[in-house]
PDB file of all heavy atoms in Angstrom:
ATOM      1  N   ASP A  47      48.838 -56.332  20.438  1.00 98.00           N
ATOM      2  CA  ASP A  47      47.680 -55.526  20.829  1.00 98.00           C
ATOM      3  C   ASP A  47      46.822 -55.188  19.604  1.00 98.00           C
ATOM      4  O   ASP A  47      45.584 -55.265  19.650  1.00 98.00           O
ATOM      5  CB  ASP A  47      48.187 -54.240  21.493  1.00 98.00           C
ATOM      6  CG  ASP A  47      47.086 -53.310  21.967  1.00 98.00           C
ATOM      7  OD1 ASP A  47      46.177 -53.781  22.668  1.00 98.00           O
ATOM      8  OD2 ASP A  47      47.145 -52.103  21.637  1.00 98.00           O
ATOM      9  N   VAL A  48      47.472 -54.860  18.491  1.00 98.00           N
ATOM     10  CA  VAL A  48      46.745 -54.528  17.260  1.00 98.00           C
ATOM     11  C   VAL A  48      45.964 -55.764  16.771  1.00 98.00           C
ATOM     12  O   VAL A  48      44.800 -55.664  16.374  1.00 98.00           O
ATOM     13  CB  VAL A  48      47.709 -54.003  16.167  1.00 98.00           C
ATOM     14  CG1 VAL A  48      47.020 -53.926  14.814  1.00 98.00           C
ATOM     15  CG2 VAL A  48      48.266 -52.632  16.559  1.00 98.00           C
ATOM     16  N   MET A  49      46.602 -56.937  16.850  1.00 98.00           N
ATOM     17  CA  MET A  49      45.909 -58.166  16.427  1.00 98.00           C
ATOM     18  C   MET A  49      44.673 -58.405  17.287  1.00 98.00           C
ATOM     19  O   MET A  49      43.597 -58.699  16.787  1.00 98.00           O
ATOM     20  CB  MET A  49      46.839 -59.370  16.609  1.00 98.00           C
ATOM     21  CG  MET A  49      47.910 -59.436  15.570  1.00 98.00           C
ATOM     22  SD  MET A  49      48.896 -60.907  15.837  1.00 98.00           S
ATOM     23  CE  MET A  49      50.047 -60.684  14.499  1.00 98.00           C
ATOM     24  N   ARG A  50      44.871 -58.288  18.567  1.00 98.00           N
ATOM     25  CA  ARG A  50      43.751 -58.506  19.478  1.00 98.00           C
ATOM     26  C   ARG A  50      42.622 -57.504  19.208  1.00 98.00           C
ATOM     27  O   ARG A  50      41.447 -57.863  19.141  1.00 98.00           O
ATOM     28  CB  ARG A  50      44.290 -58.366  20.906  1.00 98.00           C
ATOM     29  CG  ARG A  50      43.257 -58.538  21.979  1.00 98.00           C
ATOM     30  CD  ARG A  50      43.157 -57.290  22.834  1.00 98.00           C
ATOM     31  NE  ARG A  50      42.341 -57.541  23.996  1.00 98.00           N
ATOM     32  CZ  ARG A  50      42.697 -57.256  25.228  1.00 98.00           C
ATOM     33  NH1 ARG A  50      43.866 -56.739  25.488  1.00 98.00           N
ATOM     34  NH2 ARG A  50      41.854 -57.469  26.213  1.00 98.00           N
ATOM     35  N   ARG A  51      42.998 -56.243  19.017  1.00 98.00           N
ATOM     36  CA  ARG A  51      41.978 -55.218  18.759  1.00 98.00           C
ATOM     37  C   ARG A  51      41.248 -55.492  17.444  1.00 98.00           C
ATOM     38  O   ARG A  51      40.041 -55.251  17.347  1.00 98.00           O
ATOM     39  CB  ARG A  51      42.625 -53.837  18.681  1.00 98.00           C
ATOM     40  CG  ARG A  51      43.075 -53.275  20.024  1.00 98.00           C
ATOM     41  CD  ARG A  51      43.968 -52.104  19.714  1.00 98.00           C
ATOM     42  NE  ARG A  51      44.453 -51.358  20.832  1.00 98.00           N
ATOM     43  CZ  ARG A  51      44.232 -50.044  20.998  1.00 98.00           C
ATOM     44  NH1 ARG A  51      43.487 -49.381  20.136  1.00 98.00           N
ATOM     45  NH2 ARG A  51      44.748 -49.392  21.999  1.00 98.00           N
ATOM     46  N   TYR A  52      41.993 -55.984  16.438  1.00 98.00           N
ATOM     47  CA  TYR A  52      41.313 -56.248  15.162  1.00 98.00           C
ATOM     48  C   TYR A  52      40.365 -57.444  15.285  1.00 98.00           C
ATOM     49  O   TYR A  52      39.262 -57.434  14.725  1.00 98.00           O
ATOM     50  CB  TYR A  52      42.298 -56.457  14.011  1.00 98.00           C
ATOM     51  CG  TYR A  52      41.571 -56.587  12.685  1.00 98.00           C
ATOM     52  CD1 TYR A  52      40.796 -55.536  12.207  1.00 98.00           C
ATOM     53  CD2 TYR A  52      41.592 -57.766  11.950  1.00 98.00           C
ATOM     54  CE1 TYR A  52      40.076 -55.643  11.023  1.00 98.00           C
ATOM     55  CE2 TYR A  52      40.883 -57.890  10.759  1.00 98.00           C
ATOM     56  CZ  TYR A  52      40.116 -56.820  10.306  1.00 98.00           C
ATOM     57  OH  TYR A  52      39.389 -56.930   9.144  1.00 98.00           O
ATOM     58  N   LEU A  53      40.776 -58.454  16.020  1.00 98.00           N
ATOM     59  CA  LEU A  53      39.872 -59.602  16.223  1.00 98.00           C
ATOM     60  C   LEU A  53      38.593 -59.135  16.915  1.00 98.00           C
ATOM     61  O   LEU A  53      37.494 -59.583  16.585  1.00 98.00           O
ATOM     62  CB  LEU A  53      40.574 -60.694  17.037  1.00 98.00           C
ATOM     63  CG  LEU A  53      41.709 -61.425  16.296  1.00 98.00           C
ATOM     64  CD1 LEU A  53      42.563 -62.235  17.270  1.00 98.00           C
ATOM     65  CD2 LEU A  53      41.153 -62.336  15.201  1.00 98.00           C
ATOM     66  N   GLU A  54      38.755 -58.211  17.845  1.00 98.00           N
ATOM     67  CA  GLU A  54      37.571 -57.670  18.530  1.00 98.00           C
ATOM     68  C   GLU A  54      36.710 -56.845  17.565  1.00 98.00           C
ATOM     69  O   GLU A  54      35.476 -56.915  17.611  1.00 98.00           O
ATOM     70  CB  GLU A  54      38.004 -56.848  19.752  1.00 98.00           C
ATOM     71  CG  GLU A  54      38.483 -57.760  20.863  1.00 98.00           C
ATOM     72  CD  GLU A  54      39.084 -57.060  22.076  1.00 98.00           C
ATOM     73  OE1 GLU A  54      39.363 -55.837  21.991  1.00 98.00           O
ATOM     74  OE2 GLU A  54      39.293 -57.734  23.094  1.00 98.00           O
ATOM     75  N   TYR A  55      37.363 -56.091  16.723  1.00 98.00           N
ATOM     76  CA  TYR A  55      36.656 -55.320  15.685  1.00 98.00           C
ATOM     77  C   TYR A  55      35.794 -56.265  14.845  1.00 98.00           C
ATOM     78  O   TYR A  55      34.668 -55.942  14.468  1.00 98.00           O
ATOM     79  CB  TYR A  55      37.701 -54.619  14.816  1.00 98.00           C
ATOM     80  CG  TYR A  55      37.212 -53.966  13.540  1.00 98.00           C
ATOM     81  CD1 TYR A  55      36.991 -52.595  13.476  1.00 98.00           C
ATOM     82  CD2 TYR A  55      37.006 -54.717  12.379  1.00 98.00           C
ATOM     83  CE1 TYR A  55      36.575 -51.989  12.298  1.00 98.00           C
ATOM     84  CE2 TYR A  55      36.585 -54.124  11.205  1.00 98.00           C
ATOM     85  CZ  TYR A  55      36.366 -52.767  11.167  1.00 98.00           C
ATOM     86  OH  TYR A  55      35.945 -52.173  10.000  1.00 98.00           O
ATOM     87  N   LYS A  56      36.355 -57.468  14.557  1.00 98.00           N
ATOM     88  CA  LYS A  56      35.632 -58.441  13.730  1.00 98.00           C
ATOM     89  C   LYS A  56      34.495 -59.122  14.496  1.00 98.00           C
ATOM     90  O   LYS A  56      33.797 -59.956  13.940  1.00 98.00           O
ATOM     91  CB  LYS A  56      36.587 -59.552  13.262  1.00 98.00           C
ATOM     92  CG  LYS A  56      37.730 -59.095  12.405  1.00 98.00           C
ATOM     93  CD  LYS A  56      37.405 -59.035  10.924  1.00 98.00           C
ATOM     94  CE  LYS A  56      37.246 -60.393  10.308  1.00 98.00           C
ATOM     95  NZ  LYS A  56      36.942 -60.260   8.857  1.00 98.00           N
ATOM     96  N   GLY A  57      34.383 -58.820  15.771  1.00 98.00           N
ATOM     97  CA  GLY A  57      33.281 -59.377  16.546  1.00 98.00           C
ATOM     98  C   GLY A  57      33.655 -60.593  17.381  1.00 98.00           C
ATOM     99  O   GLY A  57      32.803 -61.192  18.029  1.00 98.00           O
ATOM    100  N   TYR A  58      34.947 -60.958  17.373  1.00 98.00           N
ATOM    101  CA  TYR A  58      35.360 -62.089  18.210  1.00 98.00           C
ATOM    102  C   TYR A  58      35.433 -61.653  19.672  1.00 98.00           C
ATOM    103  O   TYR A  58      35.742 -60.504  19.973  1.00 98.00           O
ATOM    104  CB  TYR A  58      36.731 -62.619  17.773  1.00 98.00           C
ATOM    105  CG  TYR A  58      36.719 -63.321  16.443  1.00 98.00           C
ATOM    106  CD1 TYR A  58      37.382 -62.787  15.344  1.00 98.00           C
ATOM    107  CD2 TYR A  58      36.034 -64.524  16.279  1.00 98.00           C
ATOM    108  CE1 TYR A  58      37.376 -63.431  14.110  1.00 98.00           C
ATOM    109  CE2 TYR A  58      36.020 -65.168  15.054  1.00 98.00           C
ATOM    110  CZ  TYR A  58      36.691 -64.626  13.974  1.00 98.00           C
ATOM    111  OH  TYR A  58      36.679 -65.260  12.768  1.00 98.00           O
ATOM    112  N   LYS A  59      35.182 -62.623  20.551  1.00 98.00           N
ATOM    113  CA  LYS A  59      35.348 -62.358  21.984  1.00 98.00           C
ATOM    114  C   LYS A  59      36.715 -62.914  22.372  1.00 98.00           C
ATOM    115  O   LYS A  59      36.891 -64.125  22.509  1.00 98.00           O
ATOM    116  CB  LYS A  59      34.281 -63.116  22.776  1.00 98.00           C
ATOM    117  CG  LYS A  59      32.915 -62.505  22.705  1.00 98.00           C
ATOM    118  CD  LYS A  59      32.090 -63.033  23.886  1.00 98.00           C
ATOM    119  CE  LYS A  59      30.817 -62.260  24.049  1.00 98.00           C
ATOM    120  NZ  LYS A  59      29.832 -62.568  22.997  1.00 98.00           N
ATOM    121  N   VAL A  60      37.657 -62.013  22.500  1.00 98.00           N
ATOM    122  CA  VAL A  60      39.039 -62.461  22.699  1.00 98.00           C
ATOM    123  C   VAL A  60      39.369 -62.542  24.188  1.00 98.00           C
ATOM    124  O   VAL A  60      39.106 -61.601  24.934  1.00 98.00           O
ATOM    125  CB  VAL A  60      40.030 -61.493  22.014  1.00 98.00           C
ATOM    126  CG1 VAL A  60      41.461 -62.007  22.148  1.00 98.00           C
ATOM    127  CG2 VAL A  60      39.665 -61.302  20.545  1.00 98.00           C
ATOM    128  N   LYS A  61      39.912 -63.683  24.583  1.00 98.00           N
ATOM    129  CA  LYS A  61      40.472 -63.769  25.937  1.00 98.00           C
ATOM    130  C   LYS A  61      41.983 -63.723  25.767  1.00 98.00           C
ATOM    131  O   LYS A  61      42.583 -64.622  25.177  1.00 98.00           O
ATOM    132  CB  LYS A  61      40.026 -65.056  26.624  1.00 98.00           C
ATOM    133  CG  LYS A  61      40.463 -65.111  28.079  1.00 98.00           C
ATOM    134  CD  LYS A  61      39.751 -66.224  28.823  1.00 98.00           C
ATOM    135  CE  LYS A  61      40.261 -66.300  30.251  1.00 98.00           C
ATOM    136  NZ  LYS A  61      39.790 -67.513  30.913  1.00 98.00           N
ATOM    137  N   PHE A  62      42.563 -62.652  26.241  1.00 98.00           N
ATOM    138  CA  PHE A  62      43.985 -62.378  25.984  1.00 98.00           C
ATOM    139  C   PHE A  62      44.782 -62.509  27.279  1.00 98.00           C
ATOM    140  O   PHE A  62      44.488 -61.847  28.273  1.00 98.00           O
ATOM    141  CB  PHE A  62      44.103 -60.954  25.427  1.00 98.00           C
ATOM    142  CG  PHE A  62      45.479 -60.577  24.955  1.00 98.00           C
ATOM    143  CD1 PHE A  62      45.894 -60.876  23.667  1.00 98.00           C
ATOM    144  CD2 PHE A  62      46.364 -59.912  25.793  1.00 98.00           C
ATOM    145  CE1 PHE A  62      47.163 -60.524  23.211  1.00 98.00           C
ATOM    146  CE2 PHE A  62      47.638 -59.553  25.353  1.00 98.00           C
ATOM    147  CZ  PHE A  62      48.036 -59.858  24.062  1.00 98.00           C
ATOM    148  N   VAL A  63      45.767 -63.399  27.237  1.00 98.00           N
ATOM    149  CA  VAL A  63      46.583 -63.645  28.432  1.00 98.00           C
ATOM    150  C   VAL A  63      48.042 -63.324  28.120  1.00 98.00           C
ATOM    151  O   VAL A  63      48.567 -63.759  27.095  1.00 98.00           O
ATOM    152  CB  VAL A  63      46.453 -65.127  28.883  1.00 98.00           C
ATOM    153  CG1 VAL A  63      47.416 -65.436  30.029  1.00 98.00           C
ATOM    154  CG2 VAL A  63      45.016 -65.428  29.302  1.00 98.00           C
ATOM    155  N   MET A  64      48.670 -62.551  28.988  1.00 98.00           N
ATOM    156  CA  MET A  64      50.111 -62.294  28.838  1.00 98.00           C
ATOM    157  C   MET A  64      50.796 -62.584  30.168  1.00 98.00           C
ATOM    158  O   MET A  64      50.435 -62.029  31.206  1.00 98.00           O
ATOM    159  CB  MET A  64      50.363 -60.840  28.433  1.00 98.00           C
ATOM    160  CG  MET A  64      51.814 -60.605  28.032  1.00 98.00           C
ATOM    161  SD  MET A  64      52.273 -58.879  27.973  1.00 98.00           S
ATOM    162  CE  MET A  64      51.727 -58.430  26.358  1.00 98.00           C
ATOM    163  N   ASN A  65      51.762 -63.510  30.103  1.00 98.00           N
ATOM    164  CA  ASN A  65      52.407 -63.906  31.355  1.00 98.00           C
ATOM    165  C   ASN A  65      53.522 -62.945  31.763  1.00 98.00           C
ATOM    166  O   ASN A  65      54.044 -62.190  30.944  1.00 98.00           O
ATOM    167  CB  ASN A  65      53.007 -65.308  31.209  1.00 98.00           C
ATOM    168  CG  ASN A  65      54.204 -65.283  30.291  1.00 98.00           C
ATOM    169  OD1 ASN A  65      54.103 -64.995  29.111  1.00 98.00           O
ATOM    170  ND2 ASN A  65      55.375 -65.548  30.854  1.00 98.00           N
ATOM    171  N   LEU A  66      53.859 -62.982  33.040  1.00 97.00           N
ATOM    172  CA  LEU A  66      55.013 -62.243  33.540  1.00 97.00           C
ATOM    173  C   LEU A  66      55.977 -63.249  34.144  1.00 97.00           C
ATOM    174  O   LEU A  66      55.598 -64.017  35.034  1.00 97.00           O
ATOM    175  CB  LEU A  66      54.585 -61.251  34.629  1.00 97.00           C
ATOM    176  CG  LEU A  66      53.568 -60.189  34.240  1.00 97.00           C
ATOM    177  CD1 LEU A  66      53.219 -59.323  35.437  1.00 97.00           C
ATOM    178  CD2 LEU A  66      54.099 -59.312  33.114  1.00 97.00           C
ATOM    179  N   THR A  67      57.196 -63.264  33.631  1.00 96.00           N
ATOM    180  CA  THR A  67      58.225 -64.128  34.205  1.00 96.00           C
ATOM    181  C   THR A  67      58.865 -63.364  35.353  1.00 96.00           C
ATOM    182  O   THR A  67      59.610 -62.416  35.127  1.00 96.00           O
ATOM    183  CB  THR A  67      59.264 -64.504  33.130  1.00 96.00           C
ATOM    184  OG1 THR A  67      58.584 -65.207  32.097  1.00 96.00           O
ATOM    185  CG2 THR A  67      60.366 -65.372  33.693  1.00 96.00           C
TER     186      THR A  67
END
Side-chain angles (χ1 to χ4, degrees):
D47 181 50
V48 168
M49 285 182 181
R50 179 240 190 130
R51 287 166 176 238
Y52 186 61
L53 290 166
E54 287 174 348
Y55 170 100
K56 298 273 289 181
Y58 290 113
K59 284 200 168 73
V60 184
K61 186 167 177 191
F62 187 86
V63 174
M64 190 195 276
N65 70 296
L66 300 178
T67 299

